[in-house]
């Protein structure tokens, strides 16, 4: 039933097919068996009737038979002779239900019974038959077919099987009693009961049905097994195909058959193996390309030549293979490759390694080559002769057709990747570009350093006479010895203002050049941001415009301790607050907030001034940048303040940023790492244990001081 409900599989279909063929065969075989059996049983019955009739006719004496013509002859000797013979025959064969002889009797020559051995009741004693059932001369029973009598008269044995009436089923046979001159003088008629035959045929029917049912069961089992046998490899194949489609390329099928299915399985396994190996190759290539990309990006991400070479030596080994690898480059003022790094097991002293670029160029030109041991010296790599590898995969690092260094992977030939030369060439190109950039960067840095040095010296030289000028002007204004007209006073005030602006500008330029040269001095010490902000508030009213603006500070009650240079952080605060006041509208408000976060403190200086346009927001921390509007021009300024703030905050490993929208005021934030084990919380400022603070931060301080 379930076969009809669920979708049919190949196995189901084969099973149905096998079952149908098997059942048809079974039906045919059963029918044949039954019919043959039945025919054979019938033949046997008829044959035994015929043979009984023949035996009987042979037992009867012709003379005896001839002498019996009237009913009175039943007492005669011949009659008893015949009865005796036929009685013995009848007793020997219990299936005989009727046995009689007939012969032409009387003037008309009509056939009449001569000896009748009685009906179905068995004959035990011949004496019981005296007189017989029918008197001599009686007509033969109407049930005896005339065709049989005719055949018997013609001298042949004949028989019929009559099963029309099951209660009287019988086989009848006649056998002639032949005279020596030929021709039948009488016939023996034997009627055998076919009841046994019917029983046997019924039994045969049951046996056939039983054989059919057993055959049916066997054929169900056999069809199941046969369909499984055929479909199992196909199911396995389908399962394996499914696995492969899910990405499991290791799926294989077991080879059960030595036929087309087996061949299909083998072909599938071969295909899966090829697929797996090409996937493995593909994965390897992808990994290599990823490594190439990753290492290439790492190389490009640094401008420090030694670090770059270190990454390159690891990269060339990872990409191309080999026991160990080296990356060498010329320093900015060198004429040969002297800066070497190595990747591989163990350590090696690379001091004194010196490869003339001319030799590298002679042997390699611009190409990557696999050098045999005997070529090492010619390429200037004789130091590699002490190493184990027999081959060196050498890729020159070239910038603008000039060799600046070399990448070398060293090992036995089989240790290198088959695509080693092209991979090394690709990688060397990336490293070459990075080495070129590093050289340019080094040159730019050298120029920048000398510029900063120059600015530093020049500013210093300019500041001294400016300070002298400022002091002189101060004396001129404050000394009672000198009398001035109002115009003269005005002129001196102009001079004072200009000198102050110049001093500020020089100081800012000096700071910027120190920041850029990385020589800004920072004296780290535990510092309370609250104190610095409070100090700032103290001098705010003295700032230009400071009187008309309300300044509010929102500070936590606990001191916000950071490790910082108080003078420099003051400088940042002053700059941000003075900018906020400078760009506020009259009557505006400036707020200074100090917020505590998990790892840092954040200071926010906000105003309600003109705000900054989004396109300028990203540029205000650059050098000499000022928003191009009339309000900014009115305020003067150098455009260096925020650049200095950024430099100072970053030198403290902090962050500085701004948020603003035109007309909506500005918010300037900077954050500094908080001193995590500072015993803040509910303690007052005076209770801070500076010693414990210092010890906890000694390492950080030492590292950060290097910046100053
Ligand atoms: P300076 O103030 O000397 O011009 P800064 O580097 O301090 O130089 O500021 C750069 C520019 O950023 C200023 O010229 C101004 O245009 C803009 N700016 C700075 N602070 C604010 C502020 N609070 N509101 C509006 N604009 C500001």
């Amino acid at each position: 039933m379930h076969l009809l409900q669920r979708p049919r599989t190949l196995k189901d279909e084969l099973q149905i097919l096998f079952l149908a063929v098997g059942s048809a065969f079974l039906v045919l075989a059963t029918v044949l068996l039954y019919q043959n059996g039945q025919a054979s049983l019938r033949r046997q019955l008829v044959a035994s009737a015929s043979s009984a009739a023949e035996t009987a006719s042979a037992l009867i004496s012709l003379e005896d038979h001839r002498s019996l013509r009237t009913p009175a002859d039943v007492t005669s000797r011949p009659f008893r002779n015949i009865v005796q013979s036929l009685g013995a025959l009848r007793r020997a064969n219990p299936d005989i239900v009727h046995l009689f002889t007939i012969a032409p009797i009387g003037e008309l020559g009509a056939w009449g019974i001569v000896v009748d051995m009685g009906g179905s009741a068995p004959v035990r004693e011949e004496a019981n038959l005296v007189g017989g059932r029918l008197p001599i001369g009686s007509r033969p029973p109407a049930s005896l077919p005339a065709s049989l009598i005719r055949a018997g008269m013609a001298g042949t044995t004949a028989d019929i099987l009559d099963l029309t009436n099951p209660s009287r089923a019988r086989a009848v046979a006649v056998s002639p009693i032949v005279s020596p001159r030929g021709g039948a003088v009488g016939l023996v008629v034997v009627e055998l009961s076919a009841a046994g035959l019917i029983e046997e045929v019924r039994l045969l029917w049951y046996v056939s049905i039983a054989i059919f049912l057993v055959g049916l069961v066997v054929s169900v089992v056999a069809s199941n097994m046969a369909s499984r046998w055929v479909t199992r490899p196909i199911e396995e194949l389908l399962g394996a195909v499914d696995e492969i489609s899910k990405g499991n390329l290791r799926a294989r099928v077991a080879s059960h058959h030595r036929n087309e299915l087996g061949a299909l399985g083998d072909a599938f396994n071969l295909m899966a193996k090829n697929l797996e190996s090409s996937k493995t190759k593909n994965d390897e290539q992808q990994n290599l390309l990823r490594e190439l990309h990753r290492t290439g990006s790492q190389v490009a991400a640094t401008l420090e030549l030694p670090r770059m070479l270190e990454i390159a030596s690891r990269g060339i080994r990872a990409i191309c293979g080999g026991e160990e690898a080296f990356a060498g480059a010329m320093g900015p003022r060198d004429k040969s490759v002297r800066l070497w790094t190595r990747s591989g097991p163990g350590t090696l002293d690379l001091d004194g390694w010196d490869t003339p670029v001319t030799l590298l160029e002679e042997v390699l030109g611009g190409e990557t080559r696999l050098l045999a041991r005997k070529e090492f010296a010619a390429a200037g790599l004789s130091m590699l002769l002490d190493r184990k590898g027999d081959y060196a995969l050498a890729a020159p690092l070239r910038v603008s057709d000039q060799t600046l260094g070399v990448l070398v992977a060293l090992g036995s030939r089989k240790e290198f990747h088959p695509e080693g030369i092209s991979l090394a060439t690709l990688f060397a190109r990336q490293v070459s570009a990075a080495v070129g950039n590093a050289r340019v960067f080094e040159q730019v840095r050298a120029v920048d350093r000398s510029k900063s040095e120059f600015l530093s010296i020049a500013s210093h030289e300019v500041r001294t006479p400016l300070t002298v000028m400022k002091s002189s002007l101060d004396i001129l204004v404050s000394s009672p010895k000198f009398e001035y007209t109002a115009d003269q006073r005005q002129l001196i005030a102009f001079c004072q203002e200009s000198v102050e602006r110049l001093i500020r500008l020089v100081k800012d330029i000096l700071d910027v050049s120190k920041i850029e040269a990385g020589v800004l001095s920072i004296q780290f010490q535990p510092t309370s941001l609250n104190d610095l902000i409070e100090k700032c508030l103290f001098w705010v009213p003295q700032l230009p415009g400071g009187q008309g603006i309300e300044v509010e500070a929102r500070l936590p009650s606990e001191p916000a301790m950071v490790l910082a240079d108080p003078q420099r952080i003051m400088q940042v605060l002053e700059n941000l607050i003075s900018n906020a006041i400078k760009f506020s509208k009259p009557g505006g408000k400036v707020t200074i907030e100090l917020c505590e976060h998990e790892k840092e403190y954040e200071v926010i200086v906000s105003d309600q001034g003109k705000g900054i346009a989004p396109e300028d927001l990203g540029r205000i921390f650059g050098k000499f940048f000022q928003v191009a509007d009339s309000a900014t021009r009115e305020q003067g300024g150098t455009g260096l303040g925020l650049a200095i703030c950024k430099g100072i905050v970053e030198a403290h490993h902090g962050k500085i940023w701004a948020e603003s929208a035109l007309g909506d005021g500005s918010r300037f934030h900077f954050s500094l790492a908080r001193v995590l084990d500072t015993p803040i919380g509910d303690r007052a400022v005076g209770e801070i244990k500076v010693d414990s603070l210092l010890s906890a931060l000694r390492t950080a301080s030492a590292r950060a001081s290097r910046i100053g």
Side-chain angles (χ1 to χ4, degrees):
M1 188 60 185
H2 71 282
L3 268 186
L4 302 176
Q5 283 163 357
R6 68 177 160 87
R8 285 220 299 257
T9 60
L10 177 66
K11 186 178 160 225
D12 297 339
E13 284 175 358
L14 281 175
Q15 201 169 343
I16 291 170
L17 180 71
F18 288 150
L19 201 58
V21 171
S23 307
F25 176 76
L26 259 179
V27 168
L28 192 67
T30 311
V31 167
L32 282 178
L33 174 76
Y34 174 69
Q35 288 210 328
N36 273 345
Q38 194 190 43
S40 143
L41 286 172
R42 284 177 182 197
R43 267 198 310 280
Q44 272 177 29
L45 185 69
V46 171
S48 68
S50 296
S51 101
E54 278 171 16
T55 311
S57 68
L59 287 172
I60 293 170
S61 135
L62 191 62
E63 287 314 311
D64 287 348
H65 200 260
R66 260 194 195 145
S67 63
L68 300 175
R69 285 299 177 262
T70 67
D73 292 338
V74 294
T75 55
S76 68
R77 177 99 203 137
F79 184 83
R80 273 202 302 280
N81 286 346
I82 295 174
V83 164
Q84 241 173 9
S85 312
L86 295 186
L89 180 70
R90 203 174 163 199
R91 272 196 302 280
N93 189 344
D95 286 337
I96 296 174
V97 291
H98 220 135
L99 176 63
F100 57 92
T101 67
I102 55 174
I105 295 174
E107 300 99 48
L108 294 174
W111 287 75
I113 289 199
V114 178
V115 174
D116 179 17
M117 293 300 291
S120 54
V123 179
R124 305 220 175 273
E125 293 295 329
E126 283 76 37
N128 293 346
L129 273 170
V130 172
R133 290 274 173 91
L134 292 169
I136 294 170
S138 303
R139 296 188 70 77
S143 58
L144 179 66
S147 58
L148 283 187
I149 297 176
R150 275 197 299 278
M153 277 172 58
T156 54
T157 304
D159 47 45
I160 60 150
L161 181 65
D162 180 7
L163 300 175
T164 44
N165 183 354
S167 61
R168 275 210 69 243
R170 60 195 183 131
V172 184
V174 296
S175 179
I177 303 165
V178 188
S179 80
R181 273 176 279 133
V185 292
L187 304 173
V188 175
V189 180
V190 173
E191 189 180 318
L192 288 187
S193 165
L197 172 74
I198 286 176
E199 267 310 301
E200 281 175 25
V201 167
R202 189 175 293 141
L203 190 66
L204 180 67
W205 172 245
Y206 291 150
V207 169
S208 305
I209 292 290
I211 289 175
F212 175 78
L213 290 178
V214 170
L216 198 64
V217 171
V218 170
S219 99
V220 167
V221 173
S223 69
N224 190 18
M225 282 168 63
S227 57
R228 267 191 71 75
W229 185 77
V230 174
T231 56
R232 204 170 74 179
I234 297 174
E235 278 168 8
E236 256 184 47
L237 201 63
L238 279 176
V241 168
D242 191 39
E243 283 289 302
I244 288 207
S245 71
K246 284 181 193 151
N248 175 13
L249 296 184
R250 298 207 167 154
R252 298 284 185 278
V253 290
S255 236
H256 299 299
H257 295 257
R258 289 283 120 235
N259 52 18
E260 287 88 340
L261 284 175
L264 186 65
D266 291 345
F268 172 83
N269 285 345
L270 186 68
M271 184 200 76
K273 193 175 148 205
N274 289 342
L275 208 63
E276 192 188 357
S277 72
S278 71
K279 164 105 178 22
T280 315
K281 260 193 213 144
N282 207 12
D283 285 355
E284 265 173 24
Q285 297 235 315
Q286 274 198 357
N287 285 343
L288 269 178
L289 287 178
R290 228 175 273 135
E291 182 66 30
L292 196 69
H293 177 72
R294 194 180 65 84
T295 328
S297 324
Q298 279 181 359
V299 164
T302 177
L303 288 168
E304 302 295 333
L305 201 52
R307 167 101 188 102
M308 190 180 286
L309 292 177
E310 204 181 298
I311 299 168
S313 64
R314 262 189 278 125
I316 189 81
R317 186 157 160 254
I319 293 164
C320 302
E323 170 78 6
E324 56 184 341
F326 303 87
M330 292 201 295
R333 280 167 287 276
D334 292 340
K335 292 269 175 266
S336 57
V337 178
R338 288 170 138 180
L339 198 59
W340 284 97
T341 59
R342 171 184 175 271
S343 142
T347 51
L348 183 65
D349 185 7
L350 304 176
D351 271 357
W353 280 34
D354 196 336
T355 299
V357 175
T358 44
L359 294 185
L360 273 179
E361 274 184 338
E362 255 170 46
V363 173
L364 299 179
E367 308 278 311
T368 301
R369 280 195 52 204
L370 189 64
L371 303 177
R373 193 164 251 279
K374 58 178 188 292
E375 294 171 285
F376 288 1
L381 300 170
S382 42
M383 61 274 194
L384 298 181
L385 290 169
D386 295 342
R387 312 302 303 157
K388 249 192 345 200
D390 288 333
Y391 284 90
L393 188 66
L397 298 176
R398 285 171 68 86
V399 177
S400 316
D401 284 340
Q402 195 196 341
T403 300
L404 297 181
V406 66
L407 300 179
V408 181
L410 195 68
S412 65
R413 199 176 191 135
K414 64 176 185 323
E415 276 174 303
F416 296 118
H417 193 276
E419 308 277 330
I421 292 194
S422 48
L423 288 169
T425 309
L426 267 179
F427 185 57
R429 256 181 228 154
Q430 297 184 1
V431 180
S432 302
V435 168
N437 289 344
R439 285 171 76 88
V440 171
F441 176 70
E442 188 46 49
Q443 284 159 7
V444 169
R445 207 154 55 171
V447 170
D448 210 45
R449 233 179 271 127
S450 43
K451 182 203 78 183
S452 294
E453 269 167 32
F454 165 75
L455 274 177
S456 177
I457 295 164
S459 317
H460 207 265
E461 292 304 314
V462 172
R463 210 156 60 152
T464 317
L466 278 175
T467 317
V468 174
M469 281 166 72
K470 184 180 177 324
S471 336
S472 309
L473 285 168
D474 287 347
I475 294 168
L476 277 179
V477 171
S478 57
S479 170
K481 282 197 271 175
F482 306 109
E483 297 256 329
Y484 301 106
T485 64
D487 285 348
Q488 284 169 334
R489 279 197 181 279
Q490 181 77 52
L491 282 172
I492 292 172
F494 280 152
C495 283
Q496 272 184 311
E497 204 183 300
S498 298
V499 166
E500 262 164 33
R501 273 176 65 185
L502 267 177
I503 290 174
R504 253 200 330 271
L505 178 65
V506 168
K507 184 178 153 289
D508 282 357
I509 290 177
L510 200 60
D511 280 348
V512 166
S513 55
K514 278 183 186 168
I515 288 168
E516 285 185 344
V519 293
L520 185 75
S521 133
I522 307 259
Q523 302 300 320
F524 283 96
Q525 56 180 279
T527 306
S528 158
L529 285 174
N530 311 44
D531 288 355
L532 297 186
I533 294 171
E534 272 162 15
K535 271 186 208 157
C536 283
L537 290 179
F538 180 72
W539 54 255
V540 159
Q542 300 158 33
L543 287 171
Q547 300 83 358
I549 309 291
E550 185 194 340
V551 179
E552 186 195 348
R554 295 184 199 148
L555 306 178
S557 53
E558 304 86 4
M561 294 304 293
V562 292
L563 195 66
D565 184 330
Q567 298 307 323
R568 292 296 180 188
I569 297 300
M570 272 292 269
Q571 198 177 339
V572 173
L573 282 167
E574 277 172 20
N575 209 306
L576 296 182
I577 296 170
S578 67
N579 273 353
I581 290 174
K582 217 163 50 170
F583 295 105
S584 282
K585 292 170 200 138
K589 182 175 174 184
V590 169
T591 316
I592 306 153
E593 286 168 83
L594 176 52
C595 309
E596 181 182 349
H597 298 298
E598 196 191 345
K599 291 187 176 162
E600 73 261 329
Y601 287 109
E602 183 183 351
V603 178
I604 309 166
V605 179
S606 29
D607 62 61
Q608 300 168 330
K610 66 182 183 85
I612 304 166
E615 65 272 18
D616 292 329
L617 210 53
R619 301 159 68 196
I620 51 173
F621 290 100
K623 273 187 294 178
F624 298 109
F625 178 80
Q626 289 188 304
V627 173
D629 63 5
S630 54
T632 306
R633 271 193 300 279
E634 270 171 32
Q635 299 299 339
T638 60
L640 290 173
L642 289 179
I644 295 169
C645 289
K646 186 170 189 285
I648 293 174
V649 171
E650 285 178 354
H652 281 78
H653 304 292
K655 276 194 290 184
I656 185 164
W657 68 102
E659 293 169 330
S660 184
L662 268 184
D664 249 9
S666 314
R667 283 164 71 80
F668 282 81
H669 308 243
F670 73 91
S671 64
L672 295 175
R674 53 183 279 186
V675 175
L676 287 177
D677 66 345
T678 308
I680 50 172
D682 49 7
R683 289 175 189 234
V685 187
E687 290 176 302
I688 296 169
K689 289 181 182 158
V690 172
D691 285 350
S692 78
L693 188 76
L694 276 172
S695 80
L697 291 158
R698 193 168 295 126
T699 333
S701 170
R703 194 174 54 236
S705 294
R706 266 183 256 127
I707 298 161

